Amino acid sequence: MGWTFNVVNPDAATNAPTIAAVGIVFTVLSALVVSLRLYVRSSIVKKISVDDWIIVATWLLSFIFVAITLAQTRWGLGLQDVVDMPPQNLYYFGLLAYASSPFYVCAILGFKLSILFTFLRIATDRLHRLAIVGLAITCSMFHFCFFVIQLHLCNPVAKQWDPTITGGACIPALPLYTTMAVITIIFEVLILLAPVPILLYSVFTPRKNFLIALIYVLGIFTTLIQIIRLLSITHANSPIDTSSLIIWSIIEISFGIMTSSLPSLAPLFKSFLSSELDTFKISLKIDHAKMVVKRVGRESPTWQRIILFLGYGELKGQKGEDRSGSKLESRSNSRMEWEGSGGGEWSAEDLNFEMGIIKTTEVIISREGSMWDEPKSTGLESWKEEP
């Protein structure tokens, strides 16, 4: 037995798996974005506004639309060949299509209103705010008319899903849906232009500029989806050939929900970057503290005495040159000056020690005018004081 009820050919070609996969994946993605939005607004911003509640209601409408659509695939939605559609399925096929259409209309209105309320929250100019309010009212009135017409396409209404009703009349579906799609595209373009006055007189950080660019890209993509839906309506082969239309409708609602949620997610990126910078600053402070402790420890007189006693280190200002011309320190002078000073202490400014063995042999350097004579031999060096 195939997925579709009452189908004669169990192997009949159907797009039902594709519809189900698209519906489930995009519903889950939009749910994650909405959840993240609520987390940011409640935990970081600590204020949930009207646009946040609107987007939650929009996701619920989208979820119901997808659920009804998946149920409709059991009654023939997605069948690629009209001859495979069981006649007894037409009733429930049409009834579920009738039941899902109001949720679609309300969902596309929902994410548009959420975006407009977000723009209204950040707009400061009175004329600009009035323009946004006027656009929201006009858009709501249009979608309300779309909603009413969608529920009363036929007279009697049951003619929309009951093929046994032969009397009555229906509004031609193709011209109606084409007109509604064109007006919807116009409203989406106007919504994309709504924040332009804010962008013209504002200076944003690169992070916000990137976010705004991403919003515009997704908004343009949502408008392109509406155009693709329009083309799928005009190229439908039969009244039941609506699988591509349904797929693009699901994608349109999901992208609309995610696009309208991006401005509210901006504090999340700011908080993340701030925590990363704070961590980096803390790390720098710890490294600096370690360097200070290490430096203070090495510059302490006790540490210098130990290093000098072990034969490592160098004295500032007591330098000479060896045969290769490199600067060397007279370690013997250092010791004798220490002893000749009566055991006094060295000052921290007079010493600058580096770890490591300077030389394995002693080199004795004398300077003109010093208190020491030149060495008398090159073997075992002996010194005598001047009288």
Side-chain angles (χ1 to χ4, degrees):
M1 180 179 178
W3 175 258
T4 305
F5 293 141
N6 305 318
V7 69
V8 177
N9 180 14
D11 298 326
T14 178
N15 291 328
T18 304
I19 297 173
V22 171
I24 294 172
V25 169
F26 279 92
T27 301
V28 172
L29 284 177
S30 59
L32 292 176
V33 173
V34 171
S35 301
L36 195 59
R37 173 176 182 163
L38 292 178
Y39 165 75
V40 171
R41 298 292 297 171
S42 60
S43 299
I44 300 178
V45 181
K46 299 186 182 302
K47 182 180 180 181
I48 298 180
S49 303
V50 177
D51 52 327
D52 302 313
W53 293 118
I54 291 177
I55 208 64
V56 171
T58 302
W59 184 87
L60 292 175
L61 294 171
S62 172
F63 175 79
I64 296 173
F65 171 73
V66 172
I68 296 175
T69 299
L70 295 182
Q72 192 181 3
T73 59
R74 299 283 283 172
W75 296 97
L77 178 63
L79 288 175
Q80 299 180 13
D81 198 343
V82 180
V83 298
D84 292 327
M85 170 65 79
Q88 59 270 36
N89 287 8
L90 292 176
Y91 181 90
Y92 292 103
F93 176 87
L95 181 60
L96 291 173
Y98 176 82
S100 65
S101 58
F103 293 99
Y104 166 76
V105 175
C106 294
I108 60 175
L109 172 62
F111 70 75
K112 289 181 175 65
L113 288 179
S114 178
I115 294 176
L116 290 175
F117 272 97
T118 301
F119 293 157
L120 184 64
R121 191 173 66 238
I122 61 178
T124 56
D125 183 70
R126 183 174 179 273
L127 184 60
H128 185 209
R129 291 175 63 87
L130 290 176
I132 293 175
V133 172
L135 182 59
I137 294 174
T138 307
C139 187
S140 301
M141 293 176 61
F142 161 72
H143 283 84
F144 176 75
C145 295
F146 191 9
F147 176 85
V148 173
I149 295 173
Q150 187 73 34
L151 294 179
H152 298 85
L153 284 175
C154 297
N155 184 24
V157 176
K159 187 176 175 64
Q160 293 183 235
W161 65 84
D162 191 352
T164 61
I165 300 176
T166 57
C170 295
I171 300 174
L174 182 58
L176 173 66
Y177 290 138
T178 302
T179 304
M180 293 297 180
V182 171
I183 298 176
T184 302
I185 292 172
I186 294 174
F187 273 109
E188 289 178 353
V189 172
L190 292 176
I191 291 173
L192 283 176
L193 297 177
V196 169
I198 301 175
L199 301 178
L200 290 177
Y201 298 100
S202 301
V203 178
F204 296 107
T205 61
R207 175 180 57 85
K208 289 185 178 180
N209 289 332
F210 172 77
L211 190 62
I212 292 170
L214 183 60
I215 292 171
Y216 269 89
V217 169
L218 293 179
I220 293 172
F221 183 71
T222 305
T223 305
L224 293 177
I225 292 175
Q226 188 62 239
I227 296 175
I228 295 173
R229 287 188 69 257
L230 176 61
L231 296 176
S232 64
I233 292 172
T234 57
H235 291 83
N237 298 322
S238 65
I240 66 171
D241 184 19
T242 58
S243 58
S244 60
L245 174 65
I246 295 298
I247 289 174
W248 286 110
S249 298
I250 295 172
I251 296 175
E252 178 191 10
I253 297 174
S254 300
F255 263 93
I257 292 173
M258 291 186 285
T259 302
S260 62
S261 298
L262 281 179
S264 299
L265 298 182
L268 179 66
F269 299 104
K270 181 179 180 180
S271 176
F272 173 76
L273 292 176
S274 298
S275 62
E276 290 295 321
L277 290 175
D278 291 341
T279 303
F280 179 69
K281 290 178 181 177
I282 293 173
S283 178
L284 287 179
K285 289 179 180 179
I286 293 175
D287 292 340
H288 179 68
K290 289 181 180 179
M291 292 176 62
V292 170
V293 172
K294 189 175 181 181
R295 182 177 179 182
V296 171
R298 288 192 174 185
E299 290 181 353
S300 65
T302 304
W303 174 260
Q304 293 169 4
R305 292 174 186 174
I306 295 173
I307 294 300
L308 186 62
F309 177 77
L310 294 176
Y312 302 102
E314 60 182 11
L315 281 174
K316 286 185 177 180
Q318 300 287 336
K319 294 186 178 179
E321 292 186 0
D322 64 356
R323 294 176 183 176
S324 63
S326 61
K327 297 288 183 180
L328 295 176
E329 193 68 31
S330 178
R331 193 174 60 177
S332 298
N333 285 350
S334 301
R335 289 179 178 174
M336 281 193 266
E337 286 182 12
W338 171 260
E339 293 173 358
S341 62
E345 293 187 358
W346 293 101
S347 172
E349 290 81 1
D350 297 331
L351 296 174
N352 182 22
F353 295 105
E354 296 181 8
M355 295 300 294
I357 299 177
I358 303 301
K359 194 82 172 178
T360 56
T361 58
E362 292 186 356
V363 178
I364 303 172
I365 305 297
S366 64
R367 295 184 300 175
E368 184 178 357
S370 67
M371 65 191 319
W372 308 105
D373 285 334
E374 295 289 336
K376 295 182 178 181
S377 66
T378 58
L380 294 174
E381 294 81 5
S382 59
W383 301 84
K384 65 177 182 178
E385 289 187 12
E386 278 188 354

